[in-house]
Amino acid sequence: MFKAKVYVTTKANVLDPQGAAVQQALHTMGYAAVDDVRIGKYMELTFDTTDRAQAESELEQMCKKLLANPVVEDYRYELED
Amino acid sequence: MFKAKVYVTTKANVLDPQGAAVQQALHTMGYAAVDDVRIGKYMELTFDTTDRAQAESELEQMCKKLLANPVVEDYRYELED
């Protein structure tokens, strides 16, 4: 069994309206020290296999094909035993 | 300046339809080894302050009030210099 933690974030040069909206809300709530907010996806996947290489290569493919949009998003992941 | 990384996930006993849909799609794509998928939010916030205690206490309040829904979500965060 492996557990993958996947982090998908919008690329730095891509506008993040959701982040801007949250930042605005936080300022309205009085949290003026908040300078920038970026919002992305955090996913936890469990792999029912004992083959780490298989899990890693499949995870890379999944990120490219489904979990992240390579045009506007970056992704990184951690694979734990 | 501090950088906060916030992870918001649905509580373990709460149904995650988005995660179930992604798991189904991954199986359809041939990734049968994927056993469970949980999808949450990943946020990066920048604090324009030098007071770590202030950043930490405000971050805790923000999570409780806005960034996470304490009824169905858990949150954790890391605060970096």
Side-chain angles (χ1 to χ4, degrees):
Chain A
M1 263 332 222
F2 292 97
K3 182 170 182 178
K5 294 181 175 180
V6 181
Y7 309 87
V8 178
T9 51
T10 43
K11 288 184 188 284
N13 59 353
V14 173
L15 189 66
D16 178 4
Q18 199 179 5
V22 168
Q23 182 178 350
Q24 187 56 45
L26 291 172
H27 282 180
T28 305
M29 292 165 73
Y31 300 113
V34 176
D35 203 30
D36 183 46
V37 179
R38 307 283 298 179
I39 297 186
K41 289 172 279 190
Y42 168 65
M43 293 171 247
E44 291 179 354
L45 294 86
T46 315
F47 284 84
D48 185 11
T49 178
T50 53
D51 182 342
R52 187 182 183 91
Q54 177 206 350
E56 193 132 15
S57 92
E58 286 191 357
L59 184 55
E60 181 69 27
Q61 293 169 38
M62 291 177 206
C63 287
K64 283 197 168 89
K65 291 180 185 173
L66 182 70
L67 303 180
N69 175 349
V71 174
V72 290
E73 292 174 328
D74 292 320
Y75 64 86
R76 60 185 173 85
Y77 52 79
E78 296 150 12
L79 199 59
E80 297 170 0
D81 290 310
Chain B
M1 271 314 228
F2 291 97
K3 182 170 182 179
K5 294 181 177 180
V6 181
Y7 310 87
V8 177
T9 50
T10 44
K11 288 184 189 285
N13 59 352
V14 173
L15 188 67
D16 178 4
Q18 200 179 3
V22 168
Q23 182 179 350
Q24 187 55 47
L26 292 172
H27 283 180
T28 304
M29 293 164 73
Y31 302 113
V34 176
D35 202 30
D36 183 47
V37 179
R38 306 285 297 181
I39 297 185
K41 290 172 280 193
Y42 169 65
M43 293 172 246
E44 292 179 353
L45 294 85
T46 313
F47 284 84
D48 185 12
T49 178
T50 53
D51 181 343
R52 186 182 184 90
Q54 176 206 352
E56 192 130 14
S57 91
E58 287 191 356
L59 185 55
E60 181 69 28
Q61 292 168 37
M62 291 176 206
C63 287
K64 283 198 168 86
K65 290 180 184 173
L66 183 70
L67 303 180
N69 175 349
V71 174
V72 291
E73 291 173 330
D74 292 320
Y75 64 86
R76 60 186 173 86
Y77 51 79
E78 298 150 13
L79 198 60
E80 299 169 1
D81 288 304

